[in-house]
Amino acid sequence: MALNTPLRAIGLTLALAALALLAMSHAPAANAAPTVTDGGAENIFPEGIVFRVTADSDSPIEEIRIRYKVLPDGTAATAVPDFEPGTHVEAEWQLEGNTNNYLPPGTVIEYHWEVTDAAGATASTEEVSVFYDDARFEWTPVAGGGVTIYYYSGSPEDAQEMHDVALEKVAEMSALLDTTVPFEVLVWTYASVDDMRPALQRRSPTFDSQIVTAGVRVSSNTVLVLGNASFDTLRHELTHVVTKQAGESALGTLPSWLDEGTAVYGQSDPGGFGDAITSAILAGEVLSVREISAYPGDPAKVTLFYGEGWSLVMYLVDEYGEAKFAELYATIKSGNRIGPALEAVYGFNEDGLENEWRVANGLEERDISEETDPPEDGDPVTERSDDGDSGGSSVVLIALGIIFLAAVVGVGGVLAARRMS
């Protein structure tokens, strides 16, 4: 009996192993994970980018999703393309560039695809990035020092000078506002109005037919300029790149007079803006500081708005120094409106600033004792919806038929500078 026990145990083990093998041979095979292939991105400027994907699986593919982020301003987003479920699917999805969404030249999109089949298995592609540019032209870059100038027309010498001016202005305004620009700044220079118009955010047919844009900051790091020797337009728009870094955040927004006044301050010459405020001071017909916290709705006041903003900035810098001016920007960025920010840095609010400035320019103080319900500070009138650019942009305009501003830079003579957020 004792001799047979090991043999019985061995036999039982072999029998159980055979049953296990038999069960495994009849068990359904586990589904393999789907395979997903990034089909690339097609630039269809100015209409956007078309993304394509292919997926295969033993079970029907039930969901395809693209996850993407528009840099530098956009937040993470996701989209689901239309497709017919199956074991082999091909799909595409278009990120619109100038309809419901605006993608300026120079936009970088990071993205990857995710797929899920009917068995619940998932797969994804690696994250890649695509550079969206104006593919109508062959651009030549002049790069270095954190700024890249792109041009397709004009002389290399002008482009190099634009680059030199850009480096100087970014450095100068960064020092003034005690900030840094942590990304590459892109400047796209266009040779004509017709060439530039498709690159701009679309508005109404009336606006597009009557307004010519000479310069615009279209995102935190991107500027479009008309003419590759438009040096003061470039200075103005690059100053807006710096003011956004120095004074704007999810918590704080710059009042219009401060933002545009600083941008005019960044020009080599205030041009017609300076003439406008000089004339207004002589006539005793200046605007109140609270009034220019937002853009004026009256076109007749636009030139004065820019000129007075510039004069106020000049007063703050000259009278109290650059350090306090930079502190004002930082205080706004931290979440303070302009009134409390002025109080914290200088000891006066908008009304106190206005009266100091008026006296310095030979005007009597303004009686504000009877004013009630002052407008909210720092809420500029907007002319554009959120663009995936979430930040504001400054633009220099030529008004056809209605002259908004005196000459700012030498592009066609009469220019207007206007900020859209």
Side-chain angles (χ1 to χ4, degrees):
M1 292 291 291
L3 293 175
N4 291 335
T5 298
L7 293 176
R8 288 178 181 176
I10 292 171
L12 180 59
T13 301
L14 291 174
L16 291 173
L19 288 172
L21 289 173
L22 182 63
M24 291 175 60
S25 67
H26 286 83
N31 287 329
T35 59
V36 53
T37 303
D38 182 357
E42 180 186 0
N43 183 346
I44 56 171
F45 185 93
E47 304 304 327
I49 304 176
V50 176
F51 299 89
R52 295 185 174 91
V53 65
T54 301
D56 295 274
S57 183
D58 294 336
S59 296
I61 301 293
E62 289 193 337
E63 181 179 274
I64 298 178
R65 184 176 297 273
I66 184 171
R67 297 189 183 275
Y68 66 96
K69 184 176 182 180
V70 179
L71 303 178
D73 297 322
T75 56
T78 184
V80 177
D82 294 328
F83 70 98
E84 289 293 330
T87 55
H88 172 80
V89 297
E90 297 178 1
E92 65 179 38
W93 176 74
Q94 180 179 342
L95 176 59
E96 294 181 343
N98 215 335
T99 307
N100 298 323
N101 185 62
Y102 172 58
L103 298 177
T107 299
V108 174
I109 297 97
E110 294 179 345
Y111 76 96
H112 71 273
W113 291 98
E114 297 176 355
V115 300
T116 304
D117 65 17
T122 62
S124 62
T125 61
E126 293 185 0
E127 185 169 83
V128 295
S129 63
V130 57
F131 184 73
Y132 178 68
D133 66 348
D134 187 339
R136 297 172 300 157
F137 307 108
E138 293 186 9
W139 299 91
T140 299
V142 178
V147 175
T148 299
I149 304 288
Y150 290 98
Y151 73 103
Y152 62 89
S153 179
S155 70
E157 292 77 18
D158 281 344
Q160 183 61 57
E161 189 172 358
M162 290 280 279
H163 187 259
D164 294 342
V165 168
L167 291 179
E168 179 183 4
K169 184 52 55 178
V170 171
E172 177 189 333
M173 300 313 294
S174 295
L176 173 67
L177 301 181
D178 193 22
T179 191
T180 58
V181 177
F183 41 68
E184 185 81 5
V185 178
L186 310 180
V187 179
W188 302 82
T189 58
Y190 284 86
S192 70
V193 171
D194 289 340
D195 284 356
M196 188 172 179
R197 184 171 283 121
L200 301 171
Q201 185 178 18
R202 290 175 188 160
R203 292 175 179 78
S204 68
T206 300
F207 183 98
D208 289 338
S209 66
Q210 293 183 351
I211 300 297
V212 174
T213 302
V216 56
R217 177 179 62 78
V218 290
S219 69
S220 290
N221 70 334
T222 303
V223 167
L224 311 186
V225 177
L226 181 61
N228 74 337
S230 305
F231 301 119
D232 247 2
T233 302
L234 180 64
R235 292 184 181 99
H236 185 107
E237 302 309 330
L238 289 177
T239 298
H240 278 300
V241 171
V242 181
T243 60
K244 180 174 174 60
Q245 283 301 119
E248 296 202 351
S249 68
L251 301 174
T253 303
L254 296 170
S256 299
W257 68 263
L258 180 60
D259 191 16
E260 289 298 350
T262 307
V264 178
Y265 183 86
Q267 296 172 199
S268 63
D269 186 336
F273 301 138
D275 296 337
I277 187 58
T278 298
S279 298
I281 289 172
L282 290 174
E285 296 177 350
V286 299
L287 305 172
S288 75
V289 173
R290 291 183 182 273
E291 185 179 359
I292 57 176
S293 288
Y295 291 92
D298 182 357
K301 295 181 178 180
V302 173
T303 308
L304 179 55
F305 158 76
Y306 282 94
E308 190 165 326
W310 164 75
S311 184
L312 287 164
V313 167
M314 285 279 291
Y315 176 77
L316 288 173
V317 174
D318 291 347
E319 184 69 19
Y320 294 98
E322 295 183 0
K324 279 189 173 295
F325 191 65
E327 186 182 351
L328 175 64
Y329 265 82
T331 304
I332 294 171
K333 185 170 185 175
S334 69
N336 290 280
R337 287 185 175 272
I338 183 61
L342 285 168
E343 288 274 11
V345 176
Y346 297 103
F348 48 68
N349 63 8
E350 302 100 305
D351 304 317
L353 168 60
E354 181 180 340
N355 279 333
E356 276 203 17
W357 171 81
R358 288 175 67 94
V359 170
N361 285 281
L363 298 174
E364 293 183 359
E365 292 188 4
R366 185 169 60 88
D367 183 6
I368 61 170
S369 59
E370 296 182 0
E371 289 190 358
T372 58
D373 299 323
E376 290 290 331
D377 301 321
D379 294 324
V381 175
T382 61
E383 288 193 350
R384 60 177 288 181
S385 58
D386 182 66
D387 57 350
D389 160 45
S390 47
S393 25
S394 161
V395 62
V396 177
L397 306 170
I398 301 173
L400 304 182
I402 301 176
I403 298 179
F404 284 147
L405 299 176
V408 181
V409 294
V411 181
V414 179
L415 300 180
R418 195 168 182 190
R419 184 177 184 277
M420 298 175 297
S421 53

